[in-house]
Amino acid sequence: MSTDYVPTIDGAASHYDDLDQFYREIWGEHVHHGVWFTGKESDTEAAENLVKIVAELGHTGAATDVCDIGCGYGATAKILAQRYGANVTGMTISSVQLAYAQANNHVPGKTTFMVRDWYDNQLPANRFDVVQTVESLEHMPDLPTFFRECYRVMKPGGRLVATAWMSCENPDPVAKRHFIDAITREAQIAGVRPESEFRAATEAAGFVNYQFKDYAPLVKHTWPLCALRTVKGLLTKPHYRSFLFSSRNPNRIFALTLFRIWLAYELGIQRYGIFSAEKPV
C-alpha cells in the first residue's frame, strides 16, 4: 500500500457524503452486498436476503436490543424493527446518511440513529443482546479494540454478527498491490483482511463459539450489477459525467474501483465473510 495513504474517520465520512447520490442510485438504501441464493432474486430481494441471514445469526426477535455499527441509510435497522420487532440503535460516521435514515427509515419507538465513531461510542456496558456490523469492519483500523468494544457493550449471552469484505489468505504480491491495496486506498477503507485476522481478534476479545462462512460465490453478482449501472448512468445521466469526470470530486475514483472489486472476486482474491460469536454468560 502507498505509504502516503492513512485511513481516517474523516476520510471515510467524506467518501460516503460525497458519493451519497451515487450510492443510492447504484445500490439503493442497502449499501451492502446482496445474496443471490437462486440467481433469480431482484437486487432488493438479494439485499434483504443478507439482512435475513444477519437476523437469524443474531437470533433477533421481539424486543431484542440491537446495536447496528455502520448502519448506513438505516434500511437494515428498519427491517429489523418492523419485521422482527427489535429495538435498534444505529451508528454511522456520515451526517448525510444520518439525515436520510432519520427522514426515511425511522420507526418510532424502535430505532435510534446517531453519528458516532465506534472507537468513542460512549455506550453503556452490558447494554445489547446483539451487536452487528454489516460491512463496516473495512473502516476499522484496529480490530482488537473494535471487538473489545463489542464485547463491552454486549449483555452476557449476547451475540456478535458481522459481514465483511475479506481477502484470501496469503495473497501474492501482485494481488496485494493491484487489488487489495488499491481497493483499500480508493474506497477510503482501513483494509481488506484475511479471515484469520477477524477470528483472532474476535476470540482475543473473549468471544466464544466463533462460526464463519464464505459467501463470495453468492454475493459477487453485486459488482457486475453495480458496474453496469454505473456505465448506464454515464451514458444517460449528465450528473454522473459531471461528478465522475470532475477533479473537484476526489472520491470519484471509486466508480472505477467497482470494476477492480468485480475482478478480485472472479480471481478468488476477495472473499465475503459472515461470522458470528457469543459472549459467555
Side-chain angles (χ1 to χ4, degrees), residues 39-117:
K40 298 179 180 179
E41 294 94 342
S42 68
D43 56 341
T44 298
E45 290 170 337
E48 292 186 0
N49 281 341
L50 182 63
V51 178
K52 183 178 180 181
I53 292 170
V54 170
E56 290 177 347
L57 287 173
H59 301 169
T60 301
T64 302
D65 290 320
V66 178
C67 181
D68 186 11
I69 306 166
C71 66
Y73 294 113
T76 295
K78 183 177 182 179
I79 290 174
L80 296 180
Q82 290 185 334
R83 301 183 190 177
Y84 294 86
N87 304 310
V88 186
T89 298
M91 305 176 67
T92 177
I93 56 173
S94 167
S95 58
V96 173
Q97 289 183 343
L98 174 70
Y100 184 94
Q102 291 176 328
N104 297 279
N105 288 319
H106 176 58
V107 180
K110 304 295 287 184
T111 62
T112 301
F113 298 110
M114 61 183 71
V115 170
R116 195 71 59 84
D117 176 357

Side-chain angles (χ1 to χ4, degrees), residues 110-209:
K110 304 295 287 184
T111 62
T112 301
F113 298 110
M114 61 183 71
V115 170
R116 195 71 59 84
D117 176 357
W118 181 245
Y119 292 110
D120 184 26
N121 60 67
Q122 303 171 41
L123 296 172
N126 304 314
R127 169 69 176 80
F128 296 96
D129 301 297
V130 179
V131 177
Q132 66 181 43
T133 170
V134 179
E135 299 181 32
S136 66
L137 279 165
E138 299 76 30
H139 291 292
M140 304 297 173
D142 182 347
L143 291 182
T145 300
F146 176 90
F147 288 113
R148 284 196 297 268
E149 278 300 292
C150 292
Y151 192 92
R152 182 185 67 81
V153 305
M154 187 183 297
K155 297 175 184 177
R159 293 185 61 79
L160 170 74
V161 183
T163 78
W165 299 15
M166 296 182 181
S167 71
C168 60
E169 297 287 339
N170 303 312
D172 64 47
V174 172
K176 190 173 189 307
R177 178 181 179 183
H178 294 288
F179 289 94
I180 296 169
D181 289 352
I183 291 167
T184 295
R185 181 178 61 254
E186 294 165 1
Q188 287 287 323
I189 58 180
V192 182
R193 293 161 285 206
E195 184 266 334
S196 57
E197 290 191 25
F198 294 95
R199 176 189 288 268
T202 299
E203 293 180 341
F207 288 102
V208 297
N209 194 25

Side-chain angles (χ1 to χ4, degrees), residues 21-36:
Q21 183 179 11
F22 182 75
Y23 268 122
R24 284 190 286 111
E25 290 185 2
I26 298 298
W27 272 276
E29 289 188 318
H30 291 278
V31 189
H32 58 67
H33 287 69
V35 180
W36 278 264

